[in-house]
Amino acid sequence: NALNGTLPTEIGAWTSIHEVTVHNNALSGTLPSEIGAWASIVNFYAYNNALSGTLPTEIGAWTSIHEVTVHNNALSGTLPSEIGAWASIVNFYAYNNA
């Protein structure tokens, strides 16, 4: 794919979204904290991009999340402790980052 640039903060308004698939692009910058409002998110695929910075603490509110794939990016820092609340998580891939 050829998506580039940053994810806009306005996507936080997608409060009924179940799956976001933006892998294999050239997305950069940080993940907007507004994505924490995705109360119904089940799967989030953002691997193979150029995303940087840390995962926003707000994603700890994803109570229905099953799979998060953010590997092969430029993410750095520590994982937010808030993701410890993910009781439904099945797969979490964050390898090969900065």
Side-chain angles (χ1 to χ4, degrees):
N1 295 325
L3 296 177
N4 58 47
T6 60
L7 290 172
T9 58
E10 291 81 4
I11 64 175
W14 299 348
T15 55
S16 297
I17 193 96
H18 288 170
E19 181 169 297
V20 173
T21 305
V22 292
H23 61 280
N24 296 328
N25 282 290
L27 296 172
S28 60
T30 59
L31 291 170
S33 61
E34 289 81 0
I35 66 174
W38 293 345
S40 300
I41 191 77
V42 175
N43 299 308
F44 180 68
Y45 304 109
Y47 59 92
N48 294 339
N49 280 290
L51 297 170
S52 60
T54 59
L55 293 174
T57 59
E58 292 81 359
I59 66 173
W62 291 353
T63 56
S64 299
I65 195 72
H66 289 174
E67 186 164 32
V68 173
T69 60
V70 291
H71 57 282
N72 295 333
N73 279 290
L75 297 171
S76 60
T78 59
L79 294 174
S81 61
E82 290 80 359
I83 67 173
W86 289 350
S88 299
I89 193 74
V90 176
N91 296 308
F92 177 74
Y93 302 110
Y95 60 87
N96 201 23
N97 277 287

